[in-house]
Amino acid sequence: MNMPSGGSFQLPPLALYIHIPWCVRKCPYCDFNSHAAGPTLPEQEYVDALLADLDADLGHVHGRELTSIFFGGGTPSLFSANALGRLLDGVERRVRFARNIEITLEANPGTFEQAKFRDYRGLGINRLSIGVQSFQEAKLKALGRIHDGNEAIRAADMARAAGFDNFNLDLMHGLPEQSIEDALFDLRTAIAQGPTHLSWYQLTMEPNTVFWSQPPVLPEDDLLWDIQEAGQALLAEQGYAQYEVSAYAQTGKAARHNLNYWTFGDFLGIGAGAHAKLSSPSGQIMRTWKTRLPKDYLDASKPFQAGDRLLTADELPFEFLMNVLRLSEGVPAALFSERTGLPLAQLDGARREAEARKLLLADPQRLTASREGQLFLNDLLQHFLP
């Protein structure tokens, strides 16, 4: 058990992740648990399974309310408002919603219908995350995307018209044959749409993807560095503060659901392949994962949960810091004991080593990666491996 000295373990905030695994088409760079949709989706059966999955996990709630819900995928916006409404009603009957709950839905421009999105807003979904990736035709084609740049701009217009005053645009950089000018064009076009939040991250080659086995030619490292520096300067100039490695937000618009991940909060995970991080009042912390293939997840003879793993006291420093050090301003040092139940002194030796290498700021009150530590986060985390 991981018990804080001198008191009982304080349970962290609780969020809910809901995975909807279908897409119109699988993108060649995507390593998420997503599957090409057929002519019809098993909406009702899948909602039934999600609620049964949640029922099986209710023992992990321990009286907490949900601070946020995130519909990820796949492409959750393929589901009708009726299906998502029935799901949200079912979730709220089982777990209390915080008064100011943030509910985010991932959507792709090719799935936008203004009436549908107005209905989503009416359900209480109050944040969209729109997967744009680029506004340039050649880049979108190279990425295997099904929308074009104009559709991406119309999607942002329709989001506002449907009542969403809080939305994120997802953009990639380091794309095949991308120049600094290309990358800045995408950023400027995105900023012109008035999003409250931008996710701007580098394309990487992940195992079990088409790009892994058939890699495109990507920009050289020096150019990638120049793109990143120029893009970060532009975002800062336009009022988007970098609060995490690849997340930029207007004042007060950081994604609360993701902040819960990065501050080592708890989250339930329901749906095919969903992961969860769960704490118990005794101080034990566990990670769980659900059955991956939709056909198996929908098979009533098979369990929803595919596995779990209890984190040991030796693993917790790395698990905690792997998340919080992604944040530009880090976290109060006291949060380590609050979230893990371990004494802060357990980090002392590794902290001194990381500070000596200028990867961690020498601040006894906070745990914050230096600028160099953020750029070489894996090197920094090596100091905290069990």
Side-chain angles (χ1 to χ4, degrees):
M1 293 184 185
N2 309 304
M3 294 290 290
S5 56
S8 60
F9 181 76
Q10 180 180 341
L11 287 168
L14 181 67
L16 172 65
Y17 175 76
I18 301 172
H19 192 75
I20 296 179
W22 292 283
C23 283
V24 174
R25 185 171 68 193
K26 180 84 171 179
C27 295
Y29 58 84
C30 178
D31 69 334
F32 294 124
N33 184 32
S34 58
H35 306 265
T40 60
L41 289 173
E43 283 191 338
Q44 298 308 315
E45 298 92 331
Y46 196 70
V47 169
D48 289 341
L50 288 168
L51 292 174
D53 189 0
L54 181 58
D55 283 334
D57 280 353
L58 290 179
H60 298 295
V61 174
H62 302 296
R64 290 173 288 181
E65 62 186 16
L66 290 176
T67 60
S68 64
I69 297 173
F70 194 100
F71 289 93
T75 306
S77 54
L78 291 177
F79 267 37
S80 68
N82 283 339
L84 296 186
R86 187 164 75 87
L87 176 56
L88 283 171
D89 286 344
V91 172
E92 190 170 15
R93 284 197 301 270
R94 290 160 171 82
V95 190
R96 187 172 73 255
F97 285 10
R99 181 185 57 79
N100 63 341
I101 189 170
E102 175 192 89
I103 305 178
T104 301
L105 179 82
E106 284 188 339
N108 285 334
T111 64
F112 259 81
E113 303 167 30
Q114 189 164 321
K116 185 179 181 181
F117 279 77
R118 191 176 292 113
D119 290 342
Y120 287 156
R121 186 68 188 89
L123 299 176
I125 296 170
N126 51 21
R127 185 174 181 272
L128 289 178
S129 182
I130 306 171
V132 171
Q133 315 315 349
S134 176
F135 290 93
Q136 297 171 74
E137 302 308 307
K139 302 295 183 285
L140 289 167
K141 185 175 181 180
L143 292 172
R145 302 295 287 175
I146 61 171
H147 67 272
D148 60 33
N150 289 331
E151 282 181 302
I153 292 171
R154 284 199 299 273
D157 289 340
M158 284 192 282
R160 280 189 297 272
F164 287 95
D165 57 4
N166 189 15
F167 66 93
N168 169 65
L169 295 181
D170 248 17
L171 281 178
M172 286 183 175
H173 61 88
L175 306 180
E177 300 182 17
Q178 188 177 48
S179 65
I180 294 178
E181 291 73 23
D182 289 335
L184 292 179
F185 173 85
D186 277 346
L187 275 177
R188 289 192 182 100
T189 306
I191 290 165
Q193 310 318 310
T196 50
H197 190 285
L198 279 161
S199 297
W200 189 59
Y201 50 93
Q202 185 178 320
L203 172 64
T204 56
M205 302 296 100
E206 301 292 346
N208 303 314
T209 65
V210 172
F211 274 4
W212 181 261
S213 56
Q214 303 170 36
V217 177
L218 300 181
E220 297 289 338
D221 287 348
D222 286 349
L223 178 55
L224 290 173
W225 179 262
D226 291 342
I227 286 172
Q228 183 167 312
E229 287 206 316
Q232 288 175 335
L234 174 63
L235 287 162
E237 173 192 306
Q238 295 297 317
Y240 292 88
Q242 183 180 14
Y243 69 96
E244 187 268 343
V245 171
S246 58
Y248 304 78
Q250 295 176 347
T251 302
K253 295 299 184 179
R256 283 188 275 139
H257 187 85
N258 290 340
L259 278 174
N260 185 60
Y261 285 154
W262 296 322
T263 54
F264 214 51
D266 276 2
F267 54 96
L268 296 159
I270 60 174
H275 285 241
K277 179 254 172 182
L278 304 162
S279 305
S280 71
S282 68
Q284 291 184 317
I285 299 175
M286 179 170 58
R287 293 198 181 275
T288 69
W289 52 96
K290 301 297 172 66
T291 296
R292 183 175 174 83
L293 292 177
K295 67 179 180 63
D296 293 333
Y297 184 82
L298 289 168
D299 186 338
S301 69
K302 297 181 178 180
F304 293 116
Q305 187 162 303
D308 61 56
R309 187 170 69 85
L310 196 63
L311 300 180
T312 67
D314 287 342
E315 293 173 310
L316 281 172
F318 179 82
E319 290 274 341
F320 175 83
L321 291 164
M322 177 176 62
N323 289 280
V324 303
L325 292 180
R326 292 180 64 90
L327 294 168
S328 301
E329 296 184 3
V331 294
L335 190 69
F336 175 73
S337 294
E338 190 178 316
R339 292 284 191 264
T340 67
L342 299 173
L344 182 60
Q346 186 160 331
L347 299 180
D348 283 354
R351 281 182 84 177
R352 284 193 295 270
E353 291 174 5
E355 288 167 2
R357 291 188 59 196
K358 308 296 186 186
L359 297 174
L360 194 70
L361 296 184
D363 182 348
Q365 302 304 316
R366 295 191 69 80
L367 293 165
T368 310
S370 66
R371 174 66 176 158
E372 187 174 357
Q374 285 191 324
L375 293 172
F376 301 100
L377 192 55
N378 287 339
D379 291 345
L380 170 53
L381 291 171
Q382 293 297 313
H383 292 281
F384 300 95
L385 282 170

